[in-house]
Amino acid sequence: EEAKRRFYKNWSQSKKKAFTKSCTKWADDLGKKEIEKDLAQMKKYCTVIRVIVHTQMKILRRRQKKAHIMEVQLNGGSVADKVQFARDHFEKEIPVTAVLAKDEMIDIIGVTKGHGFKGVTSRWHTKKLPRKTHKGLRKVACIGAWHPSRIQFTVPRAGQKGYHHRTEINKKIYRIGEGYKMKDGR
């Protein structure tokens, strides 16, 4: 249900029809044969295997109920092993400790904090012009020579600041916590 919410803008007013047709495949034998055929084709032809995973928002007890969805690539072993691993873990919980370990170096991918449309002073940290400047001072004084009669890409311009995709490399995992231990499921 958490993952299905991701496919709707308004869950409460929707008909909640996502995946109702595709999940009927698992019910009858013909559909199961088709799934096994697809997996066999993956083992034969694919070189890269990725799985789609989602977070469990109900554990967090936050306001948000919509799960985050991500595609994760499987590495190690043959393609058949990867497909089998994915098949064994369909709709199962994968703990953090199964993927990451202590003292491991990882890369982190994310999006920077968004700031919207910004001028050149805020976006590129260019020098402000003197106080008496005509038509504003938070500008670039000269955006290029007469020739070449085009603006070069190296010249700072106004535009979107933040909300950019970034990858930070070599982050060390110092510790992975145990998490909550529930007493008899409560």
Side-chain angles (χ1 to χ4, degrees), residues 4 21 26 37 68 71 75 83-84 87 93 99 102 105 123 130-131 133 170 175 177:
K4 281 185 190 173
K21 299 255 173 70
W26 292 95
K37 192 185 87 175
H68 300 98
E71 204 175 69
N75 295 321
V83 173
Q84 192 55 47
R87 175 75 182 82
E93 196 174 300
V99 184
K102 188 173 175 284
M105 300 298 271
R123 192 178 183 216
R131 179 185 60 81
T133 314
N170 285 348
R175 190 171 68 122

Side-chain angles (χ1 to χ4, degrees), residues 21-22 24-26 28-42:
K21 299 255 173 70
S22 61
T24 54
K25 275 186 187 177
W26 292 95
D28 60 338
D29 295 331
L30 196 70
K32 280 187 179 159
K33 272 188 189 149
E34 196 182 326
I35 290 164
E36 291 305 326
K37 192 185 87 175
D38 290 346
L39 292 171
Q41 277 190 319
M42 280 183 201

Side-chain angles (χ1 to χ4, degrees), residues 58-73:
K58 63 174 181 282
I59 296 173
L60 281 176
R61 296 260 183 264
R62 293 275 188 279
R63 182 169 172 227
Q64 182 178 334
K65 294 177 185 174
K66 194 181 284 192
H68 300 98
I69 292 182
M70 186 180 175
E71 204 175 69
V72 179
Q73 185 169 315

Side-chain angles (χ1 to χ4, degrees), residues 9-179:
K9 196 77 180 163
N10 188 340
W11 175 255
S12 60
Q13 289 186 348
S14 70
K15 291 179 179 168
K16 304 171 180 56
K17 291 275 288 177
F19 301 108
T20 49
K21 299 255 173 70
S22 61
C23 72
T24 54
K25 275 186 187 177
W26 292 95
D28 60 338
D29 295 331
L30 196 70
K32 280 187 179 159
K33 272 188 189 149
E34 196 182 326
I35 290 164
E36 291 305 326
K37 192 185 87 175
D38 290 346
L39 292 171
Q41 277 190 319
M42 280 183 201
K43 286 177 186 174
K44 193 174 178 186
Y45 296 111
C46 292
T47 51
V48 175
I49 302 294
R50 293 192 182 99
V51 290
I52 294 171
V53 293
H54 74 86
T55 53
Q56 295 172 295
M57 298 306 286
K58 63 174 181 282
I59 296 173
L60 281 176
R61 296 260 183 264
R62 293 275 188 279
R63 182 169 172 227
Q64 182 178 334
K65 294 177 185 174
K66 194 181 284 192
H68 300 98
I69 292 182
M70 186 180 175
E71 204 175 69
V72 179
Q73 185 169 315
L74 297 179
N75 295 321
S78 66
V79 175
D81 294 343
K82 293 175 194 175
V83 173
Q84 192 55 47
F85 177 85
R87 175 75 182 82
D88 296 339
H89 287 79
F90 276 172
E91 298 198 16
K92 288 203 179 75
E93 196 174 300
I94 300 175
V96 176
T97 47
V99 184
L100 305 171
K102 188 173 175 284
D103 296 330
E104 200 175 352
M105 300 298 271
I106 60 170
D107 296 351
I108 291 174
I109 300 169
V111 170
T112 58
K113 187 195 283 185
H115 295 277
F117 195 99
K118 285 286 188 183
V120 81
T121 308
S122 170
R123 192 178 183 216
W124 295 104
H125 308 295
T126 55
K127 186 75 83 179
K128 277 170 71 181
L129 300 178
R131 179 185 60 81
K132 294 173 77 169
T133 314
H134 181 53
K135 285 189 178 172
L137 44 84
R138 295 173 67 90
K139 294 174 176 291
V140 174
C142 173
I143 59 168
W146 192 318
H147 282 87
S149 55
R150 292 167 294 282
I151 297 176
Q152 289 173 301
F153 76 95
T154 51
V155 177
R157 308 305 306 261
Q160 173 68 30
K161 181 183 178 184
Y163 207 70
H164 303 307
H165 183 278
R166 292 288 179 266
T167 304
E168 291 197 1
I169 62 168
N170 285 348
K171 300 282 174 237
K172 189 172 191 173
I173 298 171
Y174 284 116
R175 190 171 68 122
I176 298 174
E178 277 288 300

